[in-house]
């Protein structure tokens, strides 16, 4: 596994401001379900760098 592959698994951008979040550190998350097709839904975890970013977030959902 390359360093860039590990980085993708260890960090995620804040859904509101884009700041990179170390997924091993405590942070706010929200799990949303969205329709993929008429019969299929997908669960997406959104990560937030702070409670303030979570409160400010208004969307959109990531694709």
């Amino acid at each position: 596994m390359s360093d860039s592959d590990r980085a993708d698994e260890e960090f995620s951008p804040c859904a509101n401001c884009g700041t990179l979040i170390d997924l091993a550190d405590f942070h706010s998350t929200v799990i949303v379900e969205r329709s993929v097709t008429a019969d299929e839904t997908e669960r997406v975890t959104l990560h937030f760098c702070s409670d303030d970013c979570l409160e400010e977030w208004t969307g959109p959902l990531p694709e």
Side-chain angles (χ1 to χ4, degrees):
M1 179 180 292
S2 72
D3 287 340
S4 63
D5 291 339
R6 278 195 293 276
D8 290 345
E9 294 175 4
E10 295 176 8
F11 297 91
S12 181
C14 174
N16 187 52
C17 71
T19 299
L20 282 182
I21 302 164
D22 184 340
L23 297 179
D25 291 342
F26 176 80
H27 61 281
S28 300
T29 59
V30 173
I31 298 174
V32 294
E33 287 189 359
R34 64 179 177 188
S35 295
V36 177
T37 64
D39 297 328
E40 185 180 342
T41 59
E42 172 182 61
R43 296 182 114 198
V44 178
T45 302
L46 304 175
H47 301 272
F48 296 90
C49 64
S50 68
D51 289 340
D52 289 339
C53 267
L54 173 57
E55 290 176 16
E56 291 173 4
W57 181 74
T58 59
L61 292 175
E63 294 195 28

